[in-house]
C-alpha cells in the first residue's frame, strides 16, 4: 500500500506541477514597465533649501522590448550554466469575430526551442506546432478561443494589434494547457510572423526564456543576469513561490500517510510475535532447559521477525509495483487535460528503497521487544505453571 499510495499521489502531484512548471522558464529575462524616478524637476531644484513633490507619475516613453537583445543572446550561448534559451514576444491583440473584438494575447515564439525545452508539442492537441514556422502567416489558437471564434484548422482569422493594424492569419493548430481561463486568451505564432504583425525589426523581442542545466541555481543566477544585462530577471522559484509551497505540503501529506501505513504494519508484526511467544512457552522452556541461553532465544525470535519482514517486504514491493502498474492503465479522460489518457503514477526507485529499509527497521524493533521478553523467561516457572 505504501508503494501504491506514494506512486499514485506523486504521479498526480507531478502532473499538476507539470501544468505550470513545464511551460515556465528557469529564468525569465524581460523589461518591466516602470516610472522614471529621475524626474527633471529634481535636477532643477537640486538644493537642500528647495522642496518639491510629484504625484501620479506615469511610465511615459517606457519601452517593453529588451535592448541589445542580440548581445544578451550571444552571452547566454557562451554561458556553461545555460542549457538553452528561446526568444519570445508577448503582445496584446484583438481577435475579430464579425463586429466583436475578443481581447487576447499573441505570443511570438521560437517554436523549435519551445518544443525542445518547454514541451510545446505536449500542449498542441491538434495540428503540428512546427507549422507556425514553416507556413507563413500562421497561428495556433487556444482551444477555447478557437471555439469562440468558430475557427477550424485551415480557416483564416483576423486580428487587430494594439496600434490598430489588422492582419489575417491561418489557423494551423489548437493549444490546450489544461487551464481554461488561460487558454481562452492565448495564441502562438512564430517570432518572425509576430514581428511582421507588430511592424518591428528582427531584434525586437520582449522576453528571453532561459533553461539552466541545474534549476536550483536559478535564484542565484537571476540577480546576476539582471545586473549584467541591466534589465529584469525572474527565477522560477520566485515566480511560482505559492505553487512550490502547495507542492511541498502535498508531498508531506503523502509521506505522512505512507509512513503511518508502515507503522501500522509494524504493530501487526509485533502482535504476531507476541502471541507466538505465549504459544511457544513450552518450547522456550525446553530450549533453556537443554542449555540455550537467553541471548540464543532472543536471536531466534529476532531472526523469525526479520524473516517475516524480508518476506513481507519482497511480497509488498512486488504487489505494490503490480497495483501501481494497474492504476497507470485505468482510463482518465477529461476535457481539461486532453493529453492525459490514464491516471498518472510515478515509478521512483526511492519509494521502493524507503519501503525496504523501513520494513526491516520496523520488523526488527517489532521483534526485539518480544524477543527480549522471551529471553528473560525462567523455564522453572513455566514447568511449575504446567
Amino acid at each position: 500500500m505504501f508503494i501504491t499510495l506514494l506512486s499514485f499521489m506523486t504521479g498526480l502531484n507531478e502532473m499538476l506541477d507539470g501544468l505550470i512548471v513545464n511551460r515556465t522558464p528557469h529564468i525569465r529575462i524581460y523589461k518591466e514597465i516602470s516610472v522614471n524616478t529621475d524626474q527633471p524637476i529634481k535636477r532643477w531644484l537640486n538644493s537642500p533649501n528647495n522642496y518639491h513633490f510629484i504625484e501620479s507619475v506615469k511610465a511615459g516613453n517606457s519601452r517593453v522590448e529588451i535592448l541589445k537583445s542580440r548581445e544578451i543572446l550571444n552571452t547566454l550561448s557562451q554561458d556553461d550554466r545555460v542549457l538553452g534559451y528561446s526568444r519570445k514576444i508577448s503582445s496584446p491583440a484583438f481577435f475579430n469575430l464579425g463586429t466583436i473584438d475578443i481581447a487576447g494575447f499573441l505570443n511570438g515564439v521560437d517554436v523549435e526551442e519551445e518544443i525542445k525545452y518547454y514541451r510545446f508539442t505536449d500542449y498542441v492537441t491538434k495540428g503540428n506546432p512546427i507549422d507556425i514556422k514553416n507556413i507563413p502567416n500562421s497561428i495556433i489558437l487556444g482551444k477555447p478561443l478557437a471555439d469562440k471564434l468558430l475557427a477550424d484548422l485551415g480557416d483564416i482569422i483576423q486580428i487587430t494589434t494594439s496600434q490598430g493594424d489588422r492582419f489575417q492569419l491561418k489557423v494551423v493548430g489548437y493549444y490546450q494547457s489544461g487551464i481554461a481561463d488561460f487558454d481562452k486568451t492565448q495564441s502562438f505564432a512564430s517570432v518572425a510572423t509576430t514581428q511582421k504583425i507588430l511592424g518591428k525589426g528582427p531584434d525586437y523581442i520582449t522576453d528571453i526564456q532561459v533553461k539552466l542545466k541545474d534549476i536550483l541555481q536559478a535564484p542565484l543566477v537571476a540577480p546576476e543576469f539582471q545586473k549584467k544585462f541591466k534589465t529584469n530577471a525572474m527565477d522560477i522559484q520566485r515566480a511560482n513561490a505559492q505553487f512550490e509551497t502547495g507542492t511541498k505540503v502535498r508531498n508531506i501529506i503523502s509521506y505522512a500517510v505512507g509512513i503511518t501505513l508502515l507503522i501500522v504494519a509494524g504493530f501487526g508484526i509485533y502482535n504476531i510475535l507476541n502471541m507466538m511467544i505465549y504459544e511457544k512457552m513450552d518450547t522456550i522452556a525446553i530450549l533453556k532447559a537443554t542449555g540455550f541461553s537467553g541471548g540464543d532465544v532472543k536471536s531466534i525470535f529476532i531472526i523469525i521477525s526479520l524473516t517475516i519482514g524480508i518476506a513481507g517486504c519482497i511480497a509488498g514491493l512486488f504487489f505494490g509495483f503490480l497495483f501501481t502498474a494497474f492504476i497507470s492503465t485505468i482510463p482518465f479522460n477529461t476535457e481539461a487535460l486532453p493529453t492525459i489518457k490514464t491516471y498518472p503514477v510515478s515509478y521512483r526507485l526511492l519509494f521502493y528503497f524507503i519501503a525496504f529499509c523501513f520494513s526491516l527497521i520496523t520488523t526488527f524493533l517489532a521483534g526485539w521487544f518480544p524477543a527480549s521478553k522471551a529471553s528473560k523467561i525462567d523455564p522453572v516457572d513455566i514447568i511449575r505453571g504446567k
Side-chain angles (χ1 to χ4, degrees), residues 40-324:
I41 194 170
K42 280 189 176 180
R43 301 173 191 171
W44 186 47
L45 298 176
N46 188 17
S47 168
N49 298 323
N50 297 322
Y51 177 76
H52 68 275
F53 60 89
I54 306 175
E55 293 182 346
S56 302
V57 178
K58 301 294 188 286
N61 300 323
S62 183
R63 305 174 67 167
V64 296
E65 73 267 32
I66 298 174
L67 299 177
K68 300 180 181 179
S69 60
R70 196 181 294 270
E71 295 177 12
I72 295 175
L73 296 175
N74 289 335
T75 303
L76 291 175
S77 63
Q78 297 171 4
D79 196 319
D80 294 334
R81 298 167 297 182
V82 175
L83 179 65
Y85 58 84
S86 66
R87 301 173 300 164
K88 185 176 180 182
I89 300 172
S90 297
S91 175
F94 294 101
F95 298 87
N96 308 133
L97 178 63
T99 57
I100 300 173
D101 292 334
I102 301 173
F105 289 94
L106 176 63
N107 298 287
V109 295
D110 281 325
V111 64
E112 291 176 332
E113 281 72 17
E114 287 285 323
I115 294 172
K116 185 176 181 181
Y117 298 119
Y118 301 108
R119 301 186 181 182
F120 190 53
T121 305
D122 294 347
Y123 297 86
V124 177
T125 56
K126 200 169 183 180
N128 190 346
I130 201 69
D131 284 348
I132 60 175
K133 179 183 178 184
N134 296 333
I135 300 176
N137 303 333
S138 55
I139 190 171
I140 292 176
L141 296 174
K143 185 63 170 61
L145 177 60
D147 292 339
K148 196 179 292 184
L149 293 170
L150 302 175
D152 293 325
L153 295 189
D155 288 353
I156 303 296
I157 65 164
Q158 180 172 279
I159 69 170
T160 303
T161 66
S162 56
Q163 287 77 31
D165 300 325
R166 296 196 170 189
F167 211 88
Q168 290 188 331
L169 297 166
K170 182 179 182 181
V171 180
V172 295
Y174 296 147
Y175 174 89
Q176 200 161 0
S177 67
I179 304 173
D181 286 342
F182 177 77
D183 296 339
K184 281 180 182 176
T185 59
Q186 300 300 312
S187 65
F188 298 86
S190 68
V191 168
T193 299
T194 309
Q195 288 168 342
K196 185 164 65 175
I197 292 172
L198 298 176
K200 302 293 184 181
D203 290 337
Y204 179 87
I205 54 175
T206 59
D207 295 69
I208 299 175
Q209 302 185 126
V210 181
K211 192 96 169 182
L212 298 177
K213 293 176 181 175
D214 183 4
I215 188 174
L216 298 178
Q217 287 189 344
L220 300 176
V221 178
E224 178 187 328
F225 284 173
Q226 181 166 318
K227 184 177 180 181
K228 180 187 292 185
F229 302 137
K230 297 180 181 177
T231 184
N232 301 95
M234 177 75 75
D235 60 85
I236 186 172
Q237 285 85 353
R238 199 150 43 110
N240 298 285
Q242 292 181 339
F243 194 78
E244 292 250 333
T245 303
T247 300
K248 287 180 182 176
V249 172
R250 288 198 301 271
N251 286 334
I252 290 173
I253 293 173
S254 301
Y255 278 98
V257 173
I259 289 174
T260 302
L261 290 176
L262 290 179
I263 293 174
V264 171
F267 275 107
I269 295 173
Y270 172 79
N271 288 330
I272 291 171
L273 289 174
N274 218 17
M275 293 301 296
M276 184 185 296
I277 288 173
Y278 282 109
E279 291 176 357
K280 299 294 183 183
M281 283 293 185
D282 293 344
T283 306
I284 294 171
I286 293 171
L287 288 174
K288 285 204 165 183
T290 55
F292 280 79
S293 65
D296 294 334
V297 173
K298 182 189 288 184
S299 299
I300 290 171
F301 280 96
I302 289 178
I303 290 172
I304 293 173
S305 171
L306 289 177
T307 303
I308 295 173
I310 292 172
C313 176
I314 294 172
L317 295 180
F318 177 70
F319 284 107
F321 175 79
L322 286 184
F323 281 130
T324 303

